[in-house]
Amino acid sequence: MDPASLKKLNAARRERRAAILLTEMETGRDRVILEADEVAGALGDLAATAFRSGKSGMHAVEGKKYFLNVHVPAPRIAAIGAVHITQALAAIAAIAGYEIRVIDPRTAFATPERFSGVDLAAEWPQDELAKRPLDAFTALVAVTHDPKIDDFPIIEALKTNCFYVGALGSRKTHAKRVERLKAEGVSETELARIHAPIGLDIAASNPMEIAVAIIGEIIQAYRTRPVQGSVASGARERREA
């Protein structure tokens, strides 16, 4: 492997960024493609598919053979609110292969007895996320119904380009949330990224079913996320401002 490729690959791993080590089989030359890199043509389409699937393999493109060694950070869920929905979500997130962290400053809810074996922080999101920030491979799920607890992490998730941002509440509740977030400077483009009401529309009516709807929507967002220079436009607008 080219030392420059190894250095770039290790940096991507440390920063939790997705990367592909692309090796041209005939020449042995390799290079690293990051998920936000622009790659034109059929090779770009192939890289995008590989980033979304996370699967390595050999492929032929325009008469040449390439091996794509895909490195994608493990997806995580940050759940704001240690409620019944989150208890169910923690169980099925593990089955689906997602690490989950539960954050809630209300110590009556955020207890080891209610979340045995779960990464649990009985702290305000402002404090917990300062220690362990969100990133592009994290899904943010806000389910407390309390603006004092939910609003800050939602804004942070939009700023850090989390691949999924979902918030519990009716359309009326979300309309009030939108007005609050606008007052905090959140753009219309960023607001459009919030999934509210949260979860796929499967007519869920109890905490367990709502958790299933949420994990389904998270998986859908993860497997269809924009890649290769097509990062969320809200993040791009902020970067260019």
Side-chain angles (χ1 to χ4, degrees), residues 10 55 76 131 134 154 213:
N10 285 335
K55 294 180 179 177
R76 297 171 174 166
K131 291 183 287 188
L134 302 171
I154 290 173

Side-chain angles (χ1 to χ4, degrees), residues 9-190:
L9 204 58
N10 285 335
R13 187 178 294 117
R14 285 194 302 272
E15 297 165 5
R16 274 181 54 83
R17 301 179 68 187
I20 292 174
L21 178 65
L22 177 76
T23 304
E24 186 179 339
M25 300 310 296
E26 185 175 347
T27 64
R29 288 181 297 188
D30 60 56
R31 66 184 172 111
V32 173
I33 301 172
L34 299 177
E35 189 168 279
D37 288 348
E38 302 270 2
V39 181
L43 193 57
D45 295 338
L46 179 63
T49 300
F51 275 127
R52 292 194 181 96
S53 71
K55 294 180 179 177
S56 301
M58 185 80 76
H59 300 273
V61 178
E62 298 172 346
K64 295 182 179 179
K65 285 187 177 180
Y66 298 92
F67 189 82
L68 279 68
N69 197 347
V70 184
H71 301 265
V72 179
R76 297 171 174 166
I77 298 172
I80 310 301
V83 298
H84 288 119
I85 293 172
T86 319
Q87 288 177 298
L89 183 63
I92 58 176
I95 294 170
Y98 287 74
E99 301 174 10
I100 186 168
R101 172 175 40 148
V102 180
I103 305 168
D104 196 325
R106 301 170 299 183
T107 53
F109 294 94
T111 66
E113 292 75 20
R114 299 183 71 235
F115 288 90
S116 177
V118 176
D119 184 355
L120 179 66
E123 299 191 48
W124 285 93
Q126 290 89 325
D127 298 329
E128 173 61 17
L129 297 183
K131 291 183 287 188
R132 292 194 288 167
L134 302 171
D135 61 35
F137 286 90
T138 301
L140 189 285
V141 175
V143 290
T144 74
H145 272 307
D146 186 339
K148 295 193 302 299
I149 303 174
D150 284 347
D151 285 3
F152 175 83
I154 290 173
I155 294 171
E156 282 298 295
L158 296 172
K159 284 180 180 177
T160 54
N161 201 32
C162 284
F163 73 86
Y164 174 86
V165 185
L168 188 67
S170 65
R171 296 187 190 283
K172 184 178 178 180
T173 298
H174 186 58
K176 293 179 180 177
R177 178 186 295 123
V178 165
E179 292 306 313
R180 292 193 307 273
L181 298 186
K182 279 183 179 178
E184 294 295 327
V186 179
S187 71
E188 294 284 356
T189 303
E190 290 170 322

